[in-house]
Amino acid sequence: MIDSSQATIKTADYSTEFPQHESICYLNHAAVSPWPKRTLDAVTKFSEQNVTYGATYYPEWLKVEQELRGRLARLINAPSSQDIALSKSTSEALSIIAYGLNWSNGDEVLITNQEFPSNRIVWESLHDKGVSVKVANIDSGDPVNAIIAATNGKTKIISVSSVQYASGVSLDLEQLGTYCAKHKILLCIDAIQSLGAIPFDLEKNHADFVVADGHKWMLGPEGLALLYVSPSIREQLSLSQFGWHMVEHRGDYNRQAWQPANDATRFECGSPNMLGIHALNASLSLIEAVGIENINQRLQSITNYLIKQLQTIDGLHLLSPVDSHKRAGIVTFRLESMSPETLHHALMQAGVICACRGGGVRFSPHFYTSENTTDRAIAQIKTIISG
């Protein structure tokens, strides 16, 4: 439940949560997001408690940790907060999965040709175990059907991003998940480019694993990530990290016999990132307050506006889908007259914070981004072109 202090924020009030400097146009949420004001307040309070009282308030901090697990569970529609593990990063979470699975010689992992390196390198590292990586080309046509067409009897797991980091292509996860469930293929979803931006439904997607760092669309800090493992698979994953925190009787330090925890904390070997927990919990309180459906609608609206403005520029080519059903919040484009690297450098110098990805310049607004911000960014592109 959302308490009264988290009442829905109206459009006009977004600036109070995001008091960004007037010199910048921030269009880089697909990389690292600014924190909301409430996150600064939460981290400040936590830091002041540390400085003044040490660990006196640790019992309260543990309540914040449980609150965060609950928010993450609701964000992906997981059955319980006990299904949520907290990892250091998406890469670590993927590694826990990859090195926990029981592999046989000849097993295949299926990914796409547009994956971020985190979702490629970890699977390629399994080569010595007799595991091969197969790549589905999703550059054209229907990406999910292209993935399905690349499966065969050796496909053990499909690991894909819900939204591709460079092109912004959004996958029909329900279609893919239904296929995987029917054919007994494991499904791992890297949701870092969608959680906090568009709705995610674990029940409909039939995902066995979900991973996502909090520093992009969830508006949180780096160094803290979600790891979901289906309860039906949880105990089948071999563990490669051990410590006081991952045992069933955590806190009973005199106990000699031990066993892994029955819940998702079995994947957390040591002390939690309590600073990051306070930050991400506060950021997700804003996501919950605004509502993921409202965020999605607003993000689609501002993204549509941005695309229309970009389409007014001669010699500009969109690399991201125009159809709102095939994208989330990423808009990547290139100019005929200038390299992406040159344009990106000029935009950054002008205070338009963006990224150079996938052969183009990537803009990634969020729900609070104003039309004025995008207008200023478009004006800068036109100024750069005119010389």
Side-chain angles (χ1 to χ4, degrees), residues 87-227:
S87 187
K88 293 195 293 291
S89 64
T90 305
S91 297
E92 182 187 59
L94 286 168
S95 294
I96 289 172
I97 297 165
Y99 281 84
L101 289 170
N102 182 26
W103 298 100
S104 298
N105 188 51
D107 282 343
E108 287 186 356
V109 178
L110 180 58
I111 64 173
T112 80
N113 63 317
Q114 293 191 21
E115 296 301 324
F116 190 74
S118 296
N119 197 35
R120 172 178 54 82
I121 293 172
V122 66
W123 305 113
E124 291 176 340
S125 74
L126 298 170
H127 176 75
D128 291 344
K129 297 181 180 292
V131 178
S132 61
V133 177
K134 190 173 183 180
V135 181
N137 189 319
I138 61 169
D139 288 347
S140 60
D142 185 333
V144 170
N145 281 330
I147 294 169
I148 290 173
T151 62
N152 57 50
K154 297 180 180 179
T155 307
K156 183 181 181 71
I157 185 171
I158 295 175
S159 186
V160 293
S161 297
S162 53
V163 176
Q164 295 300 329
Y165 80 102
S167 68
V169 169
S170 179
L171 298 184
D172 185 337
L173 297 177
E174 185 172 354
Q175 178 189 355
L176 182 60
T178 300
Y179 175 86
C180 288
K182 181 179 179 180
H183 292 84
K184 294 181 170 46
I185 298 172
L186 296 172
L187 177 59
C188 177
I189 298 175
D190 177 352
I192 196 170
Q193 293 294 0
S194 63
L195 290 188
I198 58 178
F200 187 99
D201 193 328
L202 187 65
E203 184 177 350
K204 291 181 179 179
N205 298 343
H206 303 287
D208 298 291
F209 311 101
V210 182
V211 299
D213 213 317
H215 65 273
K216 298 185 187 292
W217 304 94
M218 287 188 272
L219 306 169
E222 293 184 279
L224 189 61
L226 157 76
L227 167 60

Side-chain angles (χ1 to χ4, degrees), residues 86-369:
L86 302 177
S87 187
K88 293 195 293 291
S89 64
T90 305
S91 297
E92 182 187 59
L94 286 168
S95 294
I96 289 172
I97 297 165
Y99 281 84
L101 289 170
N102 182 26
W103 298 100
S104 298
N105 188 51
D107 282 343
E108 287 186 356
V109 178
L110 180 58
I111 64 173
T112 80
N113 63 317
Q114 293 191 21
E115 296 301 324
F116 190 74
S118 296
N119 197 35
R120 172 178 54 82
I121 293 172
V122 66
W123 305 113
E124 291 176 340
S125 74
L126 298 170
H127 176 75
D128 291 344
K129 297 181 180 292
V131 178
S132 61
V133 177
K134 190 173 183 180
V135 181
N137 189 319
I138 61 169
D139 288 347
S140 60
D142 185 333
V144 170
N145 281 330
I147 294 169
I148 290 173
T151 62
N152 57 50
K154 297 180 180 179
T155 307
K156 183 181 181 71
I157 185 171
I158 295 175
S159 186
V160 293
S161 297
S162 53
V163 176
Q164 295 300 329
Y165 80 102
S167 68
V169 169
S170 179
L171 298 184
D172 185 337
L173 297 177
E174 185 172 354
Q175 178 189 355
L176 182 60
T178 300
Y179 175 86
C180 288
K182 181 179 179 180
H183 292 84
K184 294 181 170 46
I185 298 172
L186 296 172
L187 177 59
C188 177
I189 298 175
D190 177 352
I192 196 170
Q193 293 294 0
S194 63
L195 290 188
I198 58 178
F200 187 99
D201 193 328
L202 187 65
E203 184 177 350
K204 291 181 179 179
N205 298 343
H206 303 287
D208 298 291
F209 311 101
V210 182
V211 299
D213 213 317
H215 65 273
K216 298 185 187 292
W217 304 94
M218 287 188 272
L219 306 169
E222 293 184 279
L224 189 61
L226 157 76
L227 167 60
Y228 166 84
V229 178
S230 172
S232 63
I233 300 174
R234 186 183 299 153
E235 293 189 8
Q236 298 177 30
L237 284 190
S238 299
L239 300 176
S240 56
Q241 299 182 84
F242 300 87
W244 71 273
H245 194 272
M246 47 74 67
V247 298
E248 180 64 23
H249 299 282
R250 182 169 60 247
D252 186 354
Y253 305 120
N254 293 320
R255 178 183 288 265
Q256 296 300 305
W258 62 272
Q259 62 185 26
N262 289 322
D263 62 15
T265 59
R266 63 171 40 218
F267 303 115
E268 303 171 10
C269 63
S271 297
N273 175 5
M274 199 58 76
L275 178 62
I277 285 168
H278 277 72
L280 185 56
N281 185 59
S283 295
L284 287 182
S285 77
L286 177 60
I287 299 293
E288 284 196 335
V290 180
I292 193 62
E293 292 288 352
N294 292 331
I295 288 173
N296 181 40
Q297 291 176 14
R298 171 59 188 168
L299 181 57
Q300 291 294 346
S301 176
I302 192 64
T303 304
N304 285 336
Y305 181 82
L306 173 59
I307 288 173
K308 288 179 181 178
Q309 295 299 98
L310 287 169
Q311 288 174 327
T312 67
I313 300 175
D314 292 336
L316 185 146
H317 299 279
L318 289 170
L319 304 179
S320 297
V322 175
D323 187 345
S324 61
H325 297 293
K326 297 180 180 179
R327 60 170 166 77
I330 290 173
V331 180
T332 305
F333 60 92
R334 64 178 177 83
L335 295 176
E336 291 179 355
S337 60
M338 189 177 302
S339 72
E341 293 78 12
T342 300
L343 177 59
H344 174 250
H345 178 75
L347 285 169
M348 291 289 286
Q349 291 294 107
V352 180
I353 311 304
C354 54
C356 190
R357 300 285 189 275
V361 171
R362 185 185 69 186
F363 281 179
S364 49
H366 212 321
F367 73 96
Y368 69 89
T369 305

Side-chain angles (χ1 to χ4, degrees), residues 9-17:
I9 297 174
K10 297 178 181 179
T11 303
D13 295 331
Y14 291 156
S15 60
T16 64
E17 284 284 356

